[in-house]
Amino acid sequence: MFPIIPQSFAAVRFTALFGVAVMTLSPRDASAQSTSRNGTFNMEWSPEANDGSIRLSGAAKGNLRVESRGDSARVRLELTQRPDGQPESTVHDLVGSWQGDTLTFVQPLSPQVQAGGQSTSMSGHSAWRIVVNGDAVTGTMQMQLDQMNIAIPRMLITGKRATP
């Protein structure tokens, strides 16, 4: 003889199983990932190599504050030290995007370039690619000046999450 299971018991069992399936598919992992993406990071960047026609020396420093919403991010990049060791106080408010744990954004540039004893204003951009792994950040930054067809050394980025 088969046991008789009341219909209400089967409904409770189905509801419990459905609830487990919904919890498994919930976006909890995405929100945890988004939280780890957010924060302020202290970073340093220096040239990968200095064997080209443009030579850069020293390391620049800055702070990167990231506020993510889905795959978009508001980025505040505050430069605190130039590569020559001098203090810097330039702040850029930018928009970035995430692909997995990688944040990309573009910083507009308008540097003064010294050449042949003359100063010339130029325009360009820096393409940033930052990988967040827990409290550590690594990545690259590549500068491009619109009026110059010269390869500028890629910058390597290292850093860590700032402690409150």
Side-chain angles (χ1 to χ4, degrees), residues 48-112:
E48 179 177 39
N50 260 334
D51 55 1
S53 56
I54 292 184
R55 294 177 189 252
L56 304 173
S57 62
K61 293 182 180 180
N63 302 314
L64 178 72
R65 188 174 74 211
V66 180
E67 295 175 13
S68 300
R69 183 170 279 160
D71 287 338
S72 297
R74 289 180 46 195
V75 177
R76 185 174 185 92
L77 177 63
E78 179 182 354
L79 307 176
T80 59
Q81 177 182 306
R82 297 184 332 205
D84 62 7
Q86 296 299 309
E88 179 66 61
S89 61
T90 305
V91 176
H92 299 275
D93 289 312
L94 308 163
V95 175
S97 63
W98 287 98
Q99 186 168 13
D101 59 358
T102 303
L103 172 65
T104 57
F105 59 94
V106 176
Q107 169 197 2
L109 298 175
S110 55
Q112 293 288 321

Side-chain angles (χ1 to χ4, degrees), residues 4-157:
I4 298 175
I5 301 173
Q7 189 173 15
S8 61
F9 178 74
V12 168
R13 184 171 177 215
F14 173 77
T15 302
L17 288 174
F18 181 73
V20 170
V22 169
M23 286 181 5
T24 304
L25 299 174
S26 73
R28 182 177 45 163
D29 294 334
S31 66
Q33 183 182 27
S34 177
T35 301
S36 68
R37 292 173 167 180
N38 294 328
T40 300
F41 301 90
N42 301 321
M43 302 186 314
E44 183 173 304
W45 53 96
S46 57
E48 179 177 39
N50 260 334
D51 55 1
S53 56
I54 292 184
R55 294 177 189 252
L56 304 173
S57 62
K61 293 182 180 180
N63 302 314
L64 178 72
R65 188 174 74 211
V66 180
E67 295 175 13
S68 300
R69 183 170 279 160
D71 287 338
S72 297
R74 289 180 46 195
V75 177
R76 185 174 185 92
L77 177 63
E78 179 182 354
L79 307 176
T80 59
Q81 177 182 306
R82 297 184 332 205
D84 62 7
Q86 296 299 309
E88 179 66 61
S89 61
T90 305
V91 176
H92 299 275
D93 289 312
L94 308 163
V95 175
S97 63
W98 287 98
Q99 186 168 13
D101 59 358
T102 303
L103 172 65
T104 57
F105 59 94
V106 176
Q107 169 197 2
L109 298 175
S110 55
Q112 293 288 321
V113 177
Q114 301 290 330
Q118 294 185 358
S119 180
T120 305
S121 295
M122 295 201 161
S123 62
H125 67 274
S126 291
W128 294 74
R129 183 181 173 278
I130 309 285
V131 178
V132 177
N133 186 5
D135 289 340
V137 292
T138 57
T140 59
M141 184 262 286
Q142 182 67 56
M143 291 183 279
Q144 178 66 46
L145 297 176
D146 296 337
Q147 295 87 352
M148 295 179 72
N149 192 17
I150 297 174
I152 300 172
R154 183 171 71 156
M155 307 296 270
L156 298 180
I157 301 165

